[in-house]
Amino acid sequence: MIRSTSLAALALLVSTPIVPGGAAAAERCQVYGAADTTLKGKVYAFEAFTDEEGSIMRERKTDYYALVLPDRICVADRATALTEAPDFRVTIVRLDVPAREVKGLLQKTVEATGPLSRAEGEEPEVAMKVWKLTPVP
């Protein structure tokens, strides 16, 4: 009886795909959807230029605001921590924040708080719905 239970447990363990670092690495990572995520970095405006046909002047327009982090962070999805590797390459987080809240904070160090999400098909790939943006002295 003990032998068959051990074999069944071993078979389950061997059949489960394991990603290096897996759940242990995900425990040290920021988590998508966690409301209490706070990141510290500098706020920058990433701009796009409109180029009208035959125009010499190009109009500048803010495409999005981003938090540029001083060091790389790890971001993971707890639901897929065993099957997908966490992303250890995150250095820029797109900020979903009204322009009026960013005014006066550009190129300054801040703490941003809110849930992280994936910005599918966009750069940067990680986004934050900002609930609180605080300057750091």
Side-chain angles (χ1 to χ4, degrees):
M1 185 77 163
I2 293 173
R3 180 177 249 167
S4 64
T5 304
S6 298
L7 287 175
L10 181 62
L12 178 63
L13 180 64
V14 171
S15 66
T16 303
I18 296 177
V19 173
E27 290 300 317
R28 296 184 304 268
C29 292
Q30 300 295 327
V31 180
Y32 288 115
D36 61 348
T37 302
T38 298
L39 300 176
K40 183 178 175 182
K42 285 192 177 185
V43 177
Y44 289 93
F46 285 79
E47 298 176 332
F49 293 91
T50 59
D51 198 12
E52 293 184 24
E53 187 85 26
S55 173
I56 297 173
M57 299 294 289
R58 293 180 1 169
E59 183 182 336
R60 291 171 54 172
K61 146 186 152 183
T62 299
D63 192 28
Y64 63 90
Y65 296 101
L67 187 67
V68 177
L69 307 171
D71 297 307
R72 292 173 190 243
I73 63 166
C74 169
V75 181
D77 187 347
R78 283 210 199 281
T80 60
L82 288 176
T83 57
E84 291 181 20
D87 188 352
F88 289 97
R89 305 167 294 130
V90 179
T91 57
I92 300 175
V93 176
R94 177 186 288 258
L95 298 176
D96 181 7
V97 61
R100 68 181 179 279
E101 290 186 34
V102 178
K103 192 171 188 152
L105 296 176
L106 290 177
Q107 297 184 7
K108 294 190 176 151
T109 302
V110 300
E111 282 188 345
T113 303
L116 295 174
S117 62
R118 288 190 171 115
E120 298 293 334
E122 296 183 17
E123 290 289 329
E125 296 174 2
V126 178
M128 174 185 274
K129 173 76 174 161
V130 178
W131 293 343
K132 184 177 167 187
L133 197 60
T134 311
V136 175

